[in-house]
Amino acid sequence: MTRCELLQKIHELDFVLQEIVLFLDTHPCDECALEYYCCYQEELECLKVEYEELYGPLMNETSLFDEWAWVTSPWPWEGSEF
């Protein structure tokens, strides 16, 4: 996946998880929905780790690095593929 495709997939999964949470707020005992949530949460975390290993941190508080690397990579408007 390209950087843009990977970031798009992360956004999509984040949206899916938010929708599942809203459903679980009103159906907390729905085992199928909870299983669905866990599956997509795990996939999202894997994609975030993959993104950060390839392109740097997504957010400063979730950085895998010991330095402020999130400010050294190009910003979205600085000639990247976004």
Side-chain angles (χ1 to χ4, degrees):
M1 260 189 262
T2 67
R3 182 179 186 170
C4 189
E5 290 169 337
L6 189 54
L7 194 56
Q8 179 65 32
K9 185 70 174 171
I10 290 169
H11 288 302
E12 290 169 4
L13 286 175
D14 188 54
F15 177 79
V16 167
L17 287 169
Q18 289 178 31
E19 291 296 308
I20 297 169
V21 166
L22 291 174
F23 180 81
L24 285 168
D25 283 346
T26 58
H27 301 82
C29 297
D30 189 320
E31 292 292 325
C32 185
L34 188 56
E35 192 174 311
Y36 190 72
Y37 175 84
C38 290
C39 175
Y40 281 100
Q41 179 64 32
E42 185 177 317
E43 185 177 349
L44 177 62
E45 289 307 312
C46 288
L47 288 176
K48 285 181 176 181
V49 167
E50 180 181 348
Y51 184 94
E52 290 196 348
E53 287 174 350
L54 292 171
Y55 304 112
L58 286 163
M59 296 180 288
N60 60 339
E61 62 268 356
T62 61
S63 176
L64 300 173
F65 307 98
D66 292 331
E67 58 186 50
W68 291 100
W70 61 276
V71 298
T72 61
S73 60
W75 294 91
W77 57 85
E78 292 182 325
S80 65
E81 58 189 76
F82 295 105

